[in-house]
Amino acid sequence: MQSFAVQHGSQQFLEQQIADPQPNEVVVALRAAGLNHRDLMMKDRIGNQPDIYTLGSDGAGVVEKVGSEVSRFKIGDEVIINPSLNWYDKTSAPPDDFRIFDGTFAERTVISEDFIEKKPDHLSWTEAGVFTLSALTGYRALVTLGQIKRGETLFIPGVGGGVVSFIIQLAKAKGAYVITTSRDPNKLKQAEILGYDRAILTDDNWEEQLADEEIDLVIETIGGATFNRSLGVLKKGGRIVTFGSSTEDQFTLNLRQFFYGQYQLFGSTMGSREELRELLAFCEQHELRPLLDKGFPFTKIDQAFDHLSGQTQLGKVYVVM
Ligand SMILES: NC(=O)c1ccc[n+]([C@@H]2O[C@H](COP(=O)([O-])OP(=O)(O)OC[C@H]3O[C@@H](n4cnc5c(N)ncnc54)[C@H](OP(=O)(O)O)[C@@H]3O)[C@@H](O)[C@H]2O)c1
């Protein structure tokens, strides 16, 4: 069986899990898997572990085998992986044993039945394979923490990102007015399909360009390079949610400006199973689908990693098994 692992050690452990799943586990034969920014970082974080470590958090496929106590699924069911492990209810922070699933860059993966959901009917295999991590992260940031309301204005820089492109669609379906940015004018043109209301270049002077807007909510994923500029366009008393720092983690914040502005800052990461189920129902109702950038055959996954690293993407990069 093929898998994409940081350490190409023995395949025995993986083969054993697949041959003999635990009572609550299912074996999923993957049809497509999505790449995330996280996969780029995990390659370095894993280091020199002796055991094989298969990357990949997003995926969709068919249940091929079920453990003796599995009750929600049967062989042949079409499912998506929920990589947000051990976080069941919509709590204010994930539980101590929360972790993110890795293992979808493989022909088969093994996971507890608690962390798979039925594949939404309106999504293709590739759309389903890239869906969960980005969409769930976006949902918690925009809806649970950001509390977006119909008629409010959202500012969300960096349209090229897989999460950002999904949040724009979600925000439009929630009735918000959406302003985005990109470093690349061509991406802004292509991203019109997402339905945003207004776009400016990331290199523009945001305060000048957006002087006529009253921004209620900012979702900031770029990090140090843009955080203060994002805060600069937020209305006094407005909300800012962050879950990413594609550039620097650390930067200087003017605390006096922050507290005089009465801003509200929320940190977010992934989301719970309860939120995923809310999101799936909302997406089915509104037929929302993730924006696909480019796909590669699983055997060419190295090229998919190179493509994601190049930052030319608009939407999700994926592999097909
Ligand atoms: N905490 C969590 O649970 C969680 C979950 C998912 C993602 N994340 C994080 O959220 C961030 C976004 O994720 P993603 O998958 O959407 O990332 P991505 O596909 O890598 O996109 C990031 C986007 O940010 C913009 N950007 C990057 N570097 C920039 C720079 N130096 N200056 C200005 N803009 C820049 C780019 O937009 P343009 O090309 O349009 O300019 C780029 O497309 C990442 O940092 C990721 O690690 C966190």
Side-chain angles (χ1 to χ4, degrees):
M1 191 194 76
Q2 280 199 353
S3 73
F4 182 79
V6 172
Q7 291 286 313
H8 283 278
S10 159
Q11 288 270 9
Q12 262 179 350
F13 178 64
L14 197 58
E15 304 277 0
Q16 180 59 39
Q17 280 185 306
I18 283 162
D20 193 14
Q22 295 295 305
N24 67 337
E25 287 179 339
V26 298
V27 175
V28 178
L30 290 153
R31 300 287 297 271
L35 274 73
N36 289 292
H37 203 91
R38 165 189 166 76
D39 302 310
L40 296 175
M41 299 188 296
M42 286 300 287
K43 273 174 116 176
D44 299 327
R45 283 192 201 155
I46 297 300
N48 290 323
Q49 286 194 26
D51 295 329
I52 193 160
Y53 193 97
T54 305
L55 293 174
S57 303
D58 271 331
V62 178
V63 174
E64 197 179 68
K65 195 181 281 186
V66 294
S68 56
E69 290 171 14
V70 168
S71 59
R72 288 175 53 228
F73 294 94
K74 59 181 188 318
I75 291 170
D77 283 350
E78 298 184 347
V79 297
I80 55 171
I81 305 288
N82 169 12
S84 199
L85 300 183
N86 305 324
W87 190 2
Y88 292 88
D89 301 323
K90 200 189 325 183
T91 46
S92 56
D96 288 345
D97 60 350
F98 163 76
R99 66 183 183 84
I100 299 175
F101 181 77
D102 286 304
T104 60
F105 296 161
E107 288 171 334
R108 290 179 183 74
T109 197
V110 185
I111 187 164
S112 158
E113 70 160 333
D114 284 356
F115 302 106
I116 54 173
E117 298 295 332
K118 178 185 167 295
K119 170 183 162 293
D121 290 334
H122 74 289
L123 298 185
S124 67
W125 278 116
T126 43
E127 288 165 343
V130 305
F131 180 79
T132 322
L133 192 143
S134 297
L136 178 57
T137 304
Y139 184 83
R140 183 169 168 85
L142 179 76
V143 180
T144 309
L145 297 172
Q147 294 278 310
I148 192 74
K149 291 173 202 67
R150 178 166 294 279
E152 281 194 331
T153 297
L154 167 71
F155 177 63
I156 180 160
V159 79
V163 192
V164 172
S165 59
F166 189 76
I167 291 177
I168 291 173
Q169 296 180 73
L170 204 51
K172 286 310 302 170
K174 289 273 177 191
Y177 178 83
V178 179
I179 307 170
T180 190
T181 81
S182 179
R183 294 165 296 179
D184 178 353
N186 293 325
K187 275 196 195 180
L188 288 180
K189 185 82 196 134
Q190 288 168 39
E192 282 174 1
I193 192 176
L194 299 170
Y196 65 72
D197 298 283
R198 186 171 174 187
I200 56 175
L201 288 171
T202 303
D203 292 336
D204 282 346
N205 181 327
W206 294 355
E207 290 197 44
E208 258 175 46
Q209 294 276 335
L210 301 178
D212 57 336
E213 304 283 3
E214 186 169 87
I215 293 166
D216 303 286
L217 174 66
V218 170
I219 296 191
E220 170 53 66
T221 69
I222 300 173
T226 53
F227 191 93
N228 278 316
R229 297 175 62 207
S230 288
L231 200 55
V233 298
L234 182 62
K235 76 172 190 188
K236 299 267 188 305
R239 316 177 303 277
I240 182 162
V241 182
T242 176
F243 57 79
S245 50
S246 297
T247 56
E248 305 86 48
D249 282 351
Q250 296 188 22
F251 57 93
T252 304
L253 176 72
N254 185 321
L255 214 47
R256 189 163 301 276
Q257 271 176 17
F258 189 84
F259 62 70
Y260 277 168
Q262 307 261 341
Y263 301 110
Q264 302 173 68
L265 173 62
F266 300 87
S268 189
T269 205
M270 303 287 284
S272 61
R273 190 175 75 169
E274 185 180 350
E275 286 159 309
L276 176 61
R277 290 178 177 175
E278 285 175 9
L279 163 70
L280 288 169
F282 187 82
C283 286
E284 289 203 272
Q285 187 192 345
H286 293 268
E287 299 228 331
L288 296 185
R289 46 188 88 237
L291 185 65
L292 298 176
D293 177 70
K294 192 167 178 189
F296 297 81
F298 180 48
T299 48
K300 302 257 166 62
I301 193 167
D302 282 329
Q303 291 179 14
F305 269 84
D306 290 344
H307 182 66
L308 188 65
S309 307
Q311 289 200 23
T312 54
Q313 85 278 10
L314 174 64
K316 298 295 298 182
V317 179
Y318 59 93
V319 287
V320 179
M321 279 64 181

